Amino acid sequence: MADELLTAEPLVLPPVVSEAEWRRAHDELLAKEKAATRARDALAAERRRQPMVRIEKTYIFENAKGEVSLLDLFEGRRQLIVYHFMFGPGAHGWPDSGCPGCSMFVDQVGHLAHLNARDASFALVSIAPLAKIETYRKRMGWNIPWASSAASDFNRDFGMTTDQGEKHGLSLFLRDGDRVYRTYFTTQRGVEALGSVWTFLDLTPFGRQEAWEDSPEGRPQTEPYAWWRRHDEYTRE
């Protein structure tokens, strides 16, 4: 369980230094962080110049409003962010629960008004039937738009439902009138960078406490993803 991390022994803490020594080390680290920020800005600028591909196929989804198209998911805005949520056969938790990792990501999505203000809509898409989606949404307490792609080829065409099981990812779309284009896609750790949980943990002395991290000896660590839970499944002894 995740709580085992809190009692791992022995713990090796960071060295204790004077205020002046801490400031010097911190200033050196901040300079490197600023350089990384500028590098991310350059990547974002390149991303905005990436070409796009037109979506020629008509996809029909089902959400709380009934049958909708990919164009409908834009809700009249020019940009659409779609999170491909793993909820279907082969995904951990099926048939009653969505993927715990995807659930952790969705827990971190803020109020959509901020995205909407910049002409962007956000929606989850899963291959699970709408009835299962709505039951799980109620359990998690989410009100984010969520559509079922069970009646279309959307998941398979986008590589999210495979013979090996479900996959997750984030797709970005742009609309020009009734024409829809895909502009960007990321998955794996490209998606986790969008969540504040990992960002905050990366700032802590113990980090994410996962075995792949380069941490000093004696810091608590477990296998990757092993500690992830749906938010109503964490326990503390």
Side-chain angles (χ1 to χ4, degrees):
M1 296 297 291
D3 296 331
E4 292 175 0
L5 292 172
L6 303 176
T7 58
E9 295 292 346
L11 281 180
V12 177
L13 303 180
V16 178
V17 297
S18 68
E19 173 71 21
E21 290 176 292
W22 178 86
R23 178 59 61 186
R24 281 194 297 271
H26 192 57
D27 287 346
E28 290 177 6
L29 183 61
L30 287 180
K32 295 175 182 177
E33 287 183 347
K34 290 293 184 183
T37 297
R38 289 191 289 271
R40 286 195 300 272
D41 289 344
L43 273 175
E46 185 174 348
R47 190 180 300 117
R48 289 190 291 272
R49 290 163 173 80
Q50 179 174 284
M52 58 189 183
V53 60
R54 184 171 179 179
I55 306 300
E56 302 283 0
K57 196 168 184 178
T58 298
Y59 294 105
I60 299 300
F61 306 89
E62 186 180 10
N63 65 14
K65 298 177 181 178
E67 279 196 355
V68 294
S69 66
L70 181 59
L71 187 64
D72 291 327
L73 297 184
F74 281 79
E75 298 181 327
R77 301 182 182 89
R78 293 287 299 275
Q79 303 172 104
L80 172 64
I81 304 164
V82 168
Y83 183 72
H84 303 276
F85 191 111
M86 293 171 60
F87 192 5
H92 180 44
W94 180 261
D96 299 317
S97 301
C99 162
C102 291
S103 299
M104 182 186 289
F105 173 75
V106 173
D107 277 338
Q108 300 170 74
V109 176
H111 201 294
L112 297 184
H114 305 295
L115 292 175
N116 298 164
R118 304 313 289 170
D119 206 15
S121 293
F122 185 94
L124 310 175
V125 173
S126 299
I127 200 170
L130 184 63
K132 288 189 177 296
I133 287 174
E134 290 301 316
T135 298
Y136 188 59
R137 180 216 296 279
K138 183 177 180 181
R139 170 186 163 187
M140 293 288 100
W142 299 330
N143 58 10
I144 294 171
W146 196 347
S148 168
S149 62
S152 77
D153 298 325
F154 182 82
N155 265 48
R156 284 206 170 268
D157 288 353
F158 281 77
M160 297 296 103
T161 295
T162 72
D163 293 339
Q164 290 72 46
E166 293 296 296
K167 295 185 178 181
H168 73 281
L170 196 75
S171 287
L172 278 294
F173 299 93
L174 180 68
R175 133 180 121 77
D176 182 16
D178 290 342
R179 296 182 295 275
V180 176
Y181 303 87
R182 193 187 196 191
T183 65
Y184 179 74
F185 173 77
T186 189
T187 187
Q188 302 299 326
R189 295 194 61 199
V191 171
E192 75 173 24
L194 305 176
S196 58
V197 165
W198 301 287
T199 302
F200 283 135
L201 288 176
D202 284 343
L203 300 177
T204 66
F206 292 167
R208 305 182 194 192
Q209 302 166 54
E210 294 181 346
W212 62 269
E213 288 180 292
D214 181 3
S215 291
E217 290 292 330
R219 299 292 169 86
Q221 289 187 323
T222 65
E223 290 303 308
Y225 315 116
W227 63 275
W228 294 12
R229 302 286 187 275
R230 299 170 188 89
H231 63 239
D232 61 355
E233 293 176 344
Y234 286 103
T235 58
R236 183 185 294 274
E237 297 298 332

